[in-house]
Amino acid sequence: MTDTPFSPPSPGAAADSRSDDWRIDRERARAGAAGAIAADALEIVDETASTNSDLMARMKALPRERAAWGVHAVRAAYRQTAGRGRQGRSWRTTPGHALTFSLACVLPRPLAGLAGLSLATGVAVVESLARLAPAEAKRFALKWPNDVLLDGGKLAGILIETAWSTDTASAVVIGVGINVRRDEALEAELDAAAAKVPAQTRATQPAALSQALPNANLTDTLAVVVKALTDMIERFGTQGFAAFVDRWNARHAYANCEVVLLDKGVELARGIATGVDGSGQLLLSTSTGVQTIATGDVSLRLATDAP
């Protein structure tokens, strides 16, 4: 972490950047979250290696027998020098353009009871972002297992890590990265890098919330997502993913489409994606019957986008 302040994004960095609101207004964020977290639970820092790593270390040091259920901390950073996503991919952001934060919580569920948590998190994120732009709600969708899409582009990513688990509880850190404003310079850099790798291994192209909500800003985005995540954690703690499966399927981007599962570019399975089951497994209708695919180090692509 550093206390050295960043300069606001330059006016030409993105068409929708505004120099007056590139930082997070802490009090407005808490008010917008309807008091979902305690005043001292929200931390905003200029820079850190990884907000997930910060909170994982904190939760691992927590006395397990006395750990209270619910949210313990929310930590946001304008820049992460070692931010990461699923499958160990790096997560790159520019201050003022993307919202990156982690939420640490204790759930009254053992490790086996956490199945589907990343998908439930996706439901909370996509529904909260869609509420910010209700007229554009149909443009928001979910890609299995845990990507949030806008017009087919990747709007947000989720990384779930477990600090510890007992027979009755688990300490979890939920990392969320949301592209709030377009960063044309970074997009051009990613496009150039993608052109150098095989098409089947390329990541989904990025999208930004400002494409659906021109005045999108980090403060209001943080507020609505934290409130949604807090509500999700409370419900998941008592009901598990079963309470979210219908909501996930309602936002399924590839519902009834032919898809391909890839591992480092190698095809593992192909079929019609019909949805997910009560534990968050992908249901894939194939020529030999319905396969259930557990979340893991695989990539999902529309068949039209795969070799």
Side-chain angles (χ1 to χ4, degrees):
M1 182 182 77
T2 179
D3 294 324
T4 303
F6 292 119
S7 298
S10 61
D16 51 4
S17 289
R18 300 190 316 185
S19 61
D20 61 341
D21 67 354
W22 76 279
R23 283 185 173 273
I24 298 170
D25 183 324
R26 187 176 182 279
E27 294 310 311
R28 185 157 63 90
R30 283 201 66 248
I37 58 173
D40 59 355
L42 177 59
E43 306 167 4
I44 302 168
V45 298
D46 282 340
E47 182 175 299
T48 189
S50 163
T51 55
N52 255 45
S53 296
D54 293 344
L55 294 188
M56 280 287 287
R58 192 178 308 178
M59 295 306 282
K60 286 178 180 178
L62 196 67
R64 303 182 185 187
E65 66 279 4
R66 299 196 304 274
W69 295 347
V71 176
H72 282 241
V74 174
R75 185 172 175 84
Y78 296 111
R79 190 195 301 275
Q80 296 188 78
T81 58
R84 62 191 187 281
R86 189 168 159 266
Q87 299 181 4
R89 296 190 182 99
S90 62
W91 183 275
R92 297 180 57 194
T93 61
T94 303
H97 291 271
L99 172 66
T100 55
F101 73 94
S102 298
L103 181 151
C105 64
V106 175
L107 288 160
R109 304 180 73 83
L111 186 61
L114 299 181
L117 178 58
S118 65
L119 280 78
T121 300
V123 169
V125 173
V126 74
E127 290 181 348
S128 61
L129 296 179
R131 281 195 293 271
L132 282 174
E136 310 296 333
K138 292 183 179 180
R139 297 168 61 184
F140 296 83
L142 290 166
K143 175 187 173 185
W144 185 87
N146 54 7
D147 283 351
V148 177
L149 306 183
L150 174 64
D151 297 335
K154 184 170 179 176
L155 174 62
I158 294 160
L159 176 66
I160 307 285
E161 295 183 291
T162 303
W164 52 259
S165 187
T166 68
D167 292 339
T168 59
S170 297
V172 174
V173 175
I174 300 173
V176 179
I178 303 171
N179 298 319
V180 176
R181 293 169 167 163
R182 288 194 63 189
D183 186 343
E184 295 176 357
L186 181 57
E187 289 175 17
E189 188 177 335
L190 294 175
D191 286 343
K196 299 177 182 178
V197 300
Q200 63 267 32
T201 63
R202 294 173 188 167
T204 305
Q205 289 300 100
L209 183 59
S210 59
Q211 294 169 221
L213 183 69
N215 64 344
N217 61 79
L218 273 63
T219 299
D220 295 333
T221 305
L222 179 63
V224 298
V225 175
V226 166
K227 178 63 169 65
L229 288 176
T230 303
D231 294 343
M232 179 277 294
I233 288 164
E234 182 176 354
R235 190 169 186 186
F236 190 95
T238 57
Q239 301 179 46
F241 183 63
F244 299 88
V245 61
D246 290 342
R247 289 160 62 185
W248 196 98
N249 283 324
R251 291 279 181 181
H252 185 192
Y254 297 166
N256 301 316
C257 294
E258 185 179 10
V259 298
V260 176
L261 283 168
L262 302 168
D263 180 10
K264 298 181 176 66
V266 177
E267 182 174 323
L268 299 179
R270 179 183 293 254
I272 304 299
T274 60
V276 298
D277 64 14
S279 61
Q281 296 182 113
L282 180 68
L283 299 175
L284 199 64
S285 178
T286 72
S287 58
T288 59
V290 176
Q291 294 185 29
T292 56
I293 311 296
T295 56
D297 291 338
V298 294
S299 298
L300 183 68
R301 296 284 187 275
L302 286 170
T304 54
D305 297 333

